[in-house]
Amino acid sequence: MKEKEEENVVALYAGEQQQEDKEWQKSIPAQVFLNYFFAINYHIKNTTGNGLEQLAFFREAKPELTEKDIEAVKRLLLNSWSTEYALRATAELGDEAYMRNALHWTFPQAYYTVFAGLQAFLRTRGVNSSNDALVLREAGRLVVKNAYPHAISFYASGHYDDFNIHRLPLAHYKPGLQIAGKELEAQAQIGQFLRTTRRMKAKAIRQNVQGNPTTAIRSSKTGEVLQKFGPQHWQQLTWRIGYTSLFDLMARLRISSSHREIERFVQAEIDFKLFHESLLEIVSYLNGIHEAYVAQAMSIEQYEAFVKELPKHLQNSFVAARLQETIKPLLRPDEDYQLGAAA
């Protein structure tokens, strides 16, 4: 994590701990990352009105799918569920040492299971793409349009280093290094995560644009490719960033197993079990939302039939649990269900 705000937090606590515990210093970047995802999960669980039934977008959206669309959506859901199954298998082993070394694959698994579910949802809205940047941009637009419950409707907008955080009224507070125990702490940490992630996206886009002679922004005086950007130059790139939403934060989990940053996480002294639990709960919540939209688009009857025909490893699993506990009460509200948290 090389971004300025994250570095500031790391530097602050590293200085305090320098004489006391040098090993702890090595764990601070990983602790900050854990804090972010714990804060997201804390915010989701402590925000009221977390269902889709209150959203006008959900009630009004009745897309028509072709047979081709339905088959594509089913394939995407199978990819999502199989990846989530693998992520859950790590949790079942329950050994912290195993979870520590499993970060090489659990981080990207957490992202790609959500990404596939998001693709399935977008396919029901006429968006057919596997391009990460396009899919994340479309997701950001849907967040802004209130297609998602309030708990995950937050997003960042604005020009480089002049960002605005929306729907997180406490996000301007300075975050600490502790695990969130209050909503203020959770929102402060999520706000920082949004800002640093948006800054990273802006820098990546600048690198791509400036690395291409045909798209590079040039000096009006010399015609040379600009090396230093001022606010007016950053503003020319802002439209390319789109909105920064929870899905962009999840994309931070796309860490290559050969990347040195993952080694820093593996060697850190943090609560890996808590990290894994936080990720899994976020994944289950997001996948459940997308599944509800897909079931609505397919029809609940067709979705139920699909779930009953799943491969053996997905039979009577978290998929069926979310169908029973989350999706049926939404789409068949007049029937009696025993409600509970999704598996």
Side-chain angles (χ1 to χ4, degrees):
M1 278 178 276
K2 298 178 181 179
E3 293 309 295
K4 186 164 61 179
E5 289 186 56
E6 291 172 11
E7 282 185 343
N8 288 344
V9 174
V10 170
L12 171 66
Y13 285 90
E16 291 178 358
Q17 294 285 335
Q18 190 169 11
Q19 299 302 320
E20 297 177 19
D21 189 351
K22 291 186 178 181
E23 288 303 312
W24 170 235
Q25 291 177 41
K26 299 176 183 178
S27 300
I28 290 174
Q31 184 66 47
V32 171
F33 217 52
L34 163 58
N35 289 354
Y36 288 159
F37 286 99
F38 181 88
I40 292 167
N41 195 37
Y42 181 96
H43 180 63
I44 290 172
K45 293 196 290 189
N46 288 277
T47 301
T48 56
N50 250 347
L52 290 170
E53 66 277 357
Q54 299 177 1
L55 299 181
F57 187 95
F58 180 81
R59 295 195 305 270
E60 296 169 1
K62 295 179 180 179
E64 293 185 8
L65 302 183
T66 65
E67 284 301 316
K68 184 178 179 180
D69 288 331
I70 291 173
E71 290 307 308
V73 164
K74 287 180 177 180
R75 287 194 299 271
L76 288 165
L77 285 181
L78 281 173
N79 288 342
S80 174
W81 292 334
S82 293
T83 308
E84 184 177 348
Y85 176 86
L87 184 65
R88 289 172 176 272
T90 301
E92 290 177 4
L93 293 173
D95 181 87
E96 183 154 337
Y98 178 79
M99 289 185 184
R100 174 193 297 266
N101 291 286
L103 290 183
H104 289 282
W105 60 85
T106 56
F107 271 13
Q109 280 174 347
Y111 169 67
Y112 283 111
T113 177
V114 170
F115 184 77
L118 173 58
Q119 282 183 284
F121 169 38
L122 291 178
R123 182 66 186 250
T124 69
R125 296 307 183 271
V127 179
N128 178 20
S129 177
S130 59
N131 180 278
D132 284 33
L134 189 150
V135 169
L136 291 175
R137 184 179 295 184
E138 289 298 321
R141 289 175 181 170
L142 286 170
V143 167
V144 174
K145 289 180 180 179
N146 290 305
Y148 290 93
H150 181 64
I152 57 171
S153 68
F154 53 81
Y155 65 97
S157 65
H159 307 306
Y160 184 84
D161 268 353
D162 187 23
F163 301 142
N164 298 309
I165 307 297
H166 305 265
R167 302 171 184 165
L168 279 178
L170 305 177
H172 63 281
Y173 284 96
K174 184 177 181 179
L177 194 63
Q178 72 279 4
I179 289 288
K182 300 178 182 176
E183 183 62 16
L184 185 150
E185 295 164 353
Q187 290 194 28
Q189 290 175 4
I190 297 171
Q192 177 178 276
F193 201 11
L194 285 168
R195 285 188 291 270
T196 56
T197 301
R198 188 166 180 80
R199 187 176 293 111
M200 289 176 69
K201 287 183 67 177
K203 287 183 176 180
I205 288 173
R206 181 182 68 173
Q207 184 175 352
N208 289 336
V209 169
Q210 295 304 94
N212 185 339
T214 61
T215 60
I217 299 173
R218 297 173 181 271
S219 168
S220 58
K221 294 180 180 180
T222 67
E224 296 294 321
V225 174
L226 280 178
Q227 300 300 317
K228 293 184 179 180
F229 266 39
Q232 71 275 22
H233 305 120
W234 283 111
Q235 289 172 18
Q236 295 180 52
L237 301 182
T238 300
W239 67 272
R240 297 174 181 264
I241 305 174
Y243 300 105
T244 304
S245 71
L246 171 57
F247 299 101
D248 296 288
L249 306 186
M250 294 297 292
R252 293 283 299 273
L253 295 168
R254 292 177 299 181
I255 299 176
S256 168
S257 60
S258 62
H259 197 295
R260 67 177 183 176
E261 188 173 41
I262 198 70
E263 294 303 329
R264 296 172 67 186
F265 278 79
V266 170
Q267 295 168 15
E269 293 301 325
I270 62 171
D271 190 337
F272 288 95
K273 188 173 178 60
L274 180 62
F275 206 151
H276 195 86
E277 289 172 354
S278 298
L279 285 179
L280 194 53
E281 289 182 8
I282 294 169
V283 162
S284 184
Y285 178 70
L286 292 177
N287 284 354
I289 289 172
H290 292 144
E291 289 156 21
Y293 270 116
V294 169
Q296 180 197 52
M298 289 174 60
S299 83
I300 183 63
E301 293 79 15
Q302 192 167 0
Y303 185 84
E304 279 187 284
F306 174 48
V307 171
K308 288 178 182 177
E309 297 168 357
L310 288 177
K312 186 176 180 180
H313 69 285
L314 292 172
Q315 286 287 335
N316 301 314
S317 66
F318 55 89
V319 178
R322 287 199 293 256
L323 169 61
Q324 182 68 24
E325 298 166 2
T326 303
I327 299 173
K328 280 187 178 180
L330 268 175
L331 301 180
R332 289 178 174 162
D334 297 331
E335 297 185 21
D336 186 28
Y337 299 102
Q338 184 177 355
L339 301 181

